Amino acid sequence: MLFSLISTTKKVLDKTEIESVIIPTINGEIQVLPNHLPVLGVTQPGILRVQYIGREVNYALGAGIYEVDANGVRVIADMVDSGENVNADSIAKKKEEAQAFMTQAKKDGLQNSAEYLAAEEEILKQTALEQLAKRS
């Protein structure tokens, strides 16, 4: 099955042969195997697991979309990170900043604002990076 993984800034994998992929979605995880029914969905920040013959490669994934059709699987997300250069201090700082913003926004009654939701998503992305670092 062919697989393409694209961040909003670059192609990470393009039409690579894989056995399966597990994609984090807003409804949980979906495992896609060869001959999967066509589907289009929304990704959630988390760990994307790509199964090659004999090995698995994990990526921290941001929000985006995925598509499965007869030609394979495509995942497009605003963040794709292999975890090679993950910095625990940077992750902690970004999570702290986002949490502080969310706390203040709640006090100001802005928990439904776009900025609040962006901070919430940033925490999820940083948590995915943190989880990926722990797996390595």
Side-chain angles (χ1 to χ4, degrees):
M1 163 172 72
L2 294 177
F3 178 67
S4 295
L5 177 59
I6 303 163
S7 79
T8 53
T9 57
K10 65 180 177 180
K11 279 187 181 176
V12 179
L13 299 171
D14 189 25
K15 296 182 182 171
T16 302
E17 189 68 35
I18 64 168
E19 289 185 329
S20 70
V21 61
I22 298 175
I23 305 167
T25 76
I26 59 172
N27 295 318
E29 293 181 326
I30 180 173
Q31 182 174 22
V32 180
L33 298 164
N35 303 313
H36 195 285
L37 290 173
V39 64
L40 179 66
V42 178
T43 67
Q44 174 172 304
I47 302 298
L48 176 81
R49 301 188 314 242
V50 181
Q51 184 66 49
Y52 297 92
I53 296 172
R55 70 184 175 102
E56 182 177 280
V57 177
N58 298 311
Y59 296 90
L61 188 71
I65 61 169
Y66 66 93
E67 177 184 29
V68 180
D69 62 21
N71 297 318
V73 181
R74 282 160 302 289
V75 175
I76 303 170
D78 64 355
M79 179 191 83
V80 177
D81 196 307
S82 63
E84 292 176 4
N85 299 312
V86 174
N87 179 316
D89 293 335
S90 174
I91 290 171
K93 182 179 180 194
K94 287 179 181 178
K95 284 175 75 172
E96 230 174 76
E97 289 171 355
Q99 190 60 54
F101 175 83
M102 289 171 63
T103 300
Q104 186 59 48
K106 277 184 184 177
K107 289 178 184 175
D108 297 340
L110 300 172
Q111 61 267 29
N112 293 322
S113 68
E115 293 83 4
Y116 183 89
L117 296 174
E120 196 171 48
E121 187 175 306
E122 184 63 30
I123 289 174
L124 291 173
K125 288 179 188 178
Q126 295 306 315
T127 300
L129 285 168
E130 195 172 55
Q131 290 171 352
L132 185 61
K134 288 178 183 176
R135 289 177 182 223
S136 300

